[in-house]
Amino acid sequence: MASLLPCTTTPRPSSRPLFPKPSHFITNAKCTPRLRVSCQSQNQNNASNSQNVEGKVDRRNVLFGLGAGLSAANLVSTQAPASANPIQPPVLDKCGVATNLNTGEQLDINCCPPVTERIIDYRLPPVFQMKIRPSAHRVSPEYIFKYNMAIDRMRRLPKDDPRSFMQQANIHCAYCNGAYDQAGQGTLDLQVHNSWLFFPFHRWYLYFYERILGKLIGDPTFALPFWNWDNPKGMTIPPMFVDPKAAIYDSKRNQANLPPAVIDLGMTGNTDPLQVVSNNLTIMYSEMIRSNADVFDFMGQPYREGTAVNPGPGSSERGSHTAVHVWVGDPREKSGENLGNFYSAGRDPLFYCHHGNVDRMWTLWQYYLPSNKVPEKRITDPDFLNAAFVFYDENAQLVRVTVKDCLDNLRMGYDYERIDLPWLDYRPPPQTAKARIIRTASTAPLASTLFPLKLEGVVRFQVPKTKKGKADELLVLENITVDATKFLKFDVFVNDEDDNASELDKAAYAGTYAQVPHKAEKKTGTSTIRLKLTDLYDDMDIADDDTIVVTLVPRHQGPGVTIGGIKIIEAPPKADAAAAAAAAPSS
Ligand code: C2O
């Protein structure tokens, strides 16, 4: 609907703009504050309902040529069908001890929810009034009051009420710290990160959290705020969270990163706030648009029952999402609590606000980004659509939900306040001269002589292209294994100099791998990520070369990352890409 459109509704030029340095930004404030959007119930969907109150055609239908009620499961699949083994909800009475992901120690808290025999298959209720989630930097005093009242009431619920503050926080602990096994799969852990389950799981989590808060204050229209960290106006911790008297306050945060500190999504350590803002916008552009060749590059890799955890995080999960967790987490705490560790993240109300924006990125990516920038937006694999979780709803009933029911936020009854997207055209300026010098002067060793590579410092090497003149290629980093007890991150540059790696707003920046620490698994898979090079070649005028020079720059101290291999492949045609992705990663 219209509320996801940015201020400029005319298509942005796809030609390459020239960007000023960061000091030249001007960002717009919001253009239209809160749109009231009418919405039909799921049973009333039809083409005539796909108009909003202003009589404008729903953009989604224009983009997809679909009726609003067409479920993703009904779409003709261009993706190869896979064996039918979607991830199923955990069995609650088999919930076990969770592990501190940073230290590997067993946690002395019990993350497990109360056990209930009765599980209801959840049906999305009809939507009578759309909830509009507001930007946390723009909320009114009345909103802040109401929000605090709701959290305060949640904190006062009896400990064993599944809707209470700690029980809600523990949902994240249980689903992310190895408390659950995959149903019927012996010792294989259930993990909702580092795969295609990342967006859907957290969407449902926030959905019920929001409904519980609304119920506690008797306001079914209550909507969670989102932390607008992708816009320069939202790149500090939202002020309402740092009032020590507020119910939404949490003392376990990095004190050096309280406002006015500017969030460093690149974790480069650059101390110039304007440069950091520019880095952030570059990262957003990269992870939303530039580095993704297919839907899995954004969403995360397939994860099915019976396969090992962590097949590979999507660009958004491993990028901005991870950075915000680690940036807020408190270095005075043993394991970066609260936000810097999965088991404790849900104890900071800021977590849900952060994930509001993560979820907003999914909606923007699905429904706003033009299809010439984002090739494919839906996963039609039944193992994705039929994956399921359980949550307690606002009435403390245990409900079973599926991924296919959460693909459309409007059907779930909420949308996001409309805010400008300054990263949307933040393509880095061309860098042809520098690229030319690097490629002629490089004496870097061939990648084949270095891999598998233990990444312990900056490393630079040459990687042959698939063929000279072939522009549409992907850089594949295979079998990345990480020490689960550490935060790890590295950035990837192509044909770059290494003396200014804390500036990311340049064509040479190809992408990032990073993750929040997570448990050393009984059986851990390795991750593979892919970075699309098409725009990068273009911006650096190196499509016709036969080799590129890759630099890997770790952002953490010491060892912990091993990369099995690196290679360039031709971007597969769509159907092939889907078939490759449909094959389950081996366990
Ligand atoms: Cu489940 Cu941001 O983590």
Side-chain angles (χ1 to χ4, degrees):
M1 298 269 170
S3 59
L4 285 174
L5 298 179
C7 304
T8 312
T9 50
T10 45
R12 308 280 184 112
S14 58
S15 59
R16 175 195 311 142
L18 283 177
F19 289 96
K21 287 303 280 180
S23 52
H24 300 146
F25 290 116
I26 299 167
T27 58
N28 302 338
K30 78 179 171 183
C31 297
T32 308
R34 311 249 177 126
L35 286 189
R36 271 280 166 83
V37 185
S38 71
C39 188
Q40 60 285 357
S41 87
Q42 68 181 109
N43 299 322
Q44 294 166 338
N45 288 332
N46 58 44
S48 67
N49 274 336
S50 64
Q51 298 195 332
N52 66 20
V53 284
E54 293 160 317
K56 294 203 180 105
V57 175
D58 183 344
R59 179 174 181 85
R60 297 179 187 196
N61 298 338
V62 176
L63 284 176
F64 298 115
L66 297 173
L70 185 54
S71 84
N74 294 336
L75 294 175
V76 178
S77 174
T78 55
Q79 297 163 16
S83 52
N85 49 352
I87 290 288
Q88 287 306 300
V91 180
L92 294 196
D93 59 8
K94 298 238 174 74
C95 179
V97 181
T99 303
N100 181 329
L101 305 181
N102 294 39
T103 61
E105 292 160 23
Q106 295 208 327
L107 289 168
D108 48 14
I109 58 151
N110 177 5
C111 291
C112 300
V115 174
T116 307
E117 298 281 283
R118 183 157 177 258
I119 306 179
I120 300 169
D121 275 329
Y122 190 71
R123 276 180 66 79
L124 287 171
V127 177
F128 296 113
Q129 188 181 357
M130 196 60 69
K131 299 176 190 185
I132 304 296
R133 294 184 178 169
S135 161
H137 282 82
R138 307 179 41 79
V139 289
S140 66
E142 294 73 34
Y143 177 90
I144 295 172
F145 178 80
K146 218 158 79 168
Y147 180 30
N148 273 288
M149 187 162 75
I151 295 285
D152 183 55
R153 290 187 180 168
M154 188 180 243
R155 288 186 189 273
R156 288 167 193 267
L157 286 174
K159 275 205 182 76
D160 58 350
D161 188 318
R163 302 165 300 181
S164 69
F165 187 82
M166 274 308 283
Q167 292 283 351
Q168 286 294 305
N170 284 344
I171 291 173
H172 202 255
C173 173
Y175 269 103
C176 320
N177 287 61
Y180 294 135
D181 287 332
Q182 293 177 23
Q185 296 295 331
T187 59
L188 273 182
D189 272 357
L190 177 60
Q191 171 59 265
V192 291
H193 298 90
N194 302 313
S195 80
W196 66 12
L197 292 189
F198 172 73
F199 282 115
F201 170 82
H202 292 85
R203 174 167 286 185
W204 277 120
Y205 187 8
L206 262 61
Y207 173 86
F208 290 113
Y209 193 82
E210 180 171 75
R211 292 177 76 88
I212 292 167
L213 292 177
K215 171 116 183 173
L216 290 172
I217 53 171
D219 179 0
T221 69
F222 175 78
L224 283 170
F226 67 90
W227 177 2
N228 191 194
W229 36 249
D230 59 303
N231 185 304
K233 296 202 166 186
M235 288 182 186
T236 60
I237 292 180
M240 67 173 158
F241 287 93
V242 298
D243 170 4
K245 292 187 300 292
I248 58 174
Y249 178 73
D250 185 49
S251 61
K252 294 184 182 175
R253 296 183 189 138
N254 188 336
Q255 300 299 296
N257 290 342
L258 301 180
V262 176
I263 189 154
D264 181 3
L265 297 179
M267 311 289 287
T268 63
N270 194 307
T271 51
D272 170 3
L274 290 175
Q275 182 62 50
V276 171
V277 168
S278 187
N279 286 353
N280 291 348
L281 295 178
T282 308
I283 289 165
M284 293 312 301
Y285 180 77
S286 169
E287 69 185 33
M288 295 295 285
I289 296 169
R290 189 181 190 233
S291 71
N292 300 324
D294 71 19
V295 62
F296 303 100
D297 292 336
F298 178 74
M299 293 291 293
Q301 297 302 313
Y303 172 47
R304 312 168 201 281
E305 244 180 22
T307 63
V309 299
N310 308 326
S315 55
S316 173
E317 179 183 0
R318 67 178 189 259
S320 54
H321 160 258
T322 292
V324 175
H325 272 280
V326 175
W327 191 78
V328 178
D330 193 342
R332 298 171 302 184
E333 297 294 318
K334 190 170 164 199
S335 301
E337 289 89 347
N338 278 329
L339 258 168
N341 190 302
F342 280 156
Y343 91 84
S344 53
R347 299 175 183 188
D348 187 341
L350 188 54
F351 166 83
Y352 306 89
C353 186
H354 166 40
H355 267 274
N357 208 38
V358 172
D359 184 71
R360 177 172 163 263
M361 290 306 132
W362 188 20
T363 66
L364 291 169
W365 186 85
Q366 281 177 302
Y367 297 122
Y368 177 66
L369 296 188
S371 8
N372 65 340
K373 296 201 173 189
V374 175
E376 195 184 8
K377 301 189 181 189
R378 287 168 185 252
I379 299 175
T380 54
D381 186 318
D383 283 350
F384 174 72
L385 299 171
N386 296 322
F389 316 105
V390 284
F391 290 95
Y392 281 98
D393 72 3
E394 69 274 20
N395 301 313
Q397 302 184 114
L398 188 63
V399 295
R400 178 182 181 280
V401 296
T402 59
V403 167
K404 65 173 173 292
D405 278 346
C406 78
L407 299 178
D408 182 343
N409 58 293
L410 296 187
R411 261 191 70 199
M412 298 176 86
Y414 72 92
D415 203 353
Y416 289 96
E417 180 183 2
R418 180 175 154 182
I419 301 278
D420 190 32
L421 307 174
W423 44 264
L424 192 61
D425 279 330
Y426 210 75
R427 185 165 173 176
Q431 227 177 35
T432 51
K434 202 191 279 175
R436 201 161 298 129
I437 294 166
I438 305 254
R439 73 174 182 249
T440 49
S442 182
T443 52
L446 275 177
S448 52
T449 66
L450 296 179
F451 284 77
L453 172 77
K454 283 197 167 70
L455 186 62
E456 299 189 1
V458 175
V459 54
R460 171 180 284 211
F461 46 85
Q462 302 193 47
V463 185
K465 289 168 87 283
T466 57
K467 61 180 167 204
K468 205 173 152 95
K470 181 72 195 168
D472 216 11
E473 294 182 324
L474 304 173
L475 185 64
V476 184
L477 291 91
E478 298 174 306
N479 299 325
I480 304 168
T481 42
V482 293
D483 177 343
T485 65
K486 292 177 185 162
F487 160 68
L488 299 162
K489 175 180 191 289
F490 60 88
D491 291 323
V492 184
F493 298 89
V494 172
N495 285 29
D496 191 32
E497 297 171 321
D498 57 0
D499 57 357
N500 57 356
S502 72
E503 292 183 9
L504 301 179
D505 52 346
K506 54 188 175 184
Y509 169 64
T512 291
Y513 178 88
Q515 64 186 10
V516 181
H518 63 276
K519 186 186 173 192
E521 275 297 327
K522 297 159 196 154
K523 213 168 181 191
T524 306
T526 59
S527 293
T528 291
I529 64 166
R530 317 185 319 163
L531 304 171
K532 193 173 88 171
L533 297 174
T534 312
D535 286 0
L536 186 148
Y537 285 170
D538 200 18
D539 294 337
M540 304 188 81
D541 191 23
I542 56 175
D544 287 332
D545 291 5
D546 45 21
T547 300
I548 60 171
V549 181
V550 174
T551 310
L552 303 179
V553 180
R555 302 297 183 186
H556 56 271
Q557 301 297 313
V561 180
T562 302
I563 305 169
I566 193 163
K567 66 183 180 198
I568 292 175
I569 60 168
E570 277 184 53
K574 240 181 173 183
D576 291 6
S586 58
S587 53

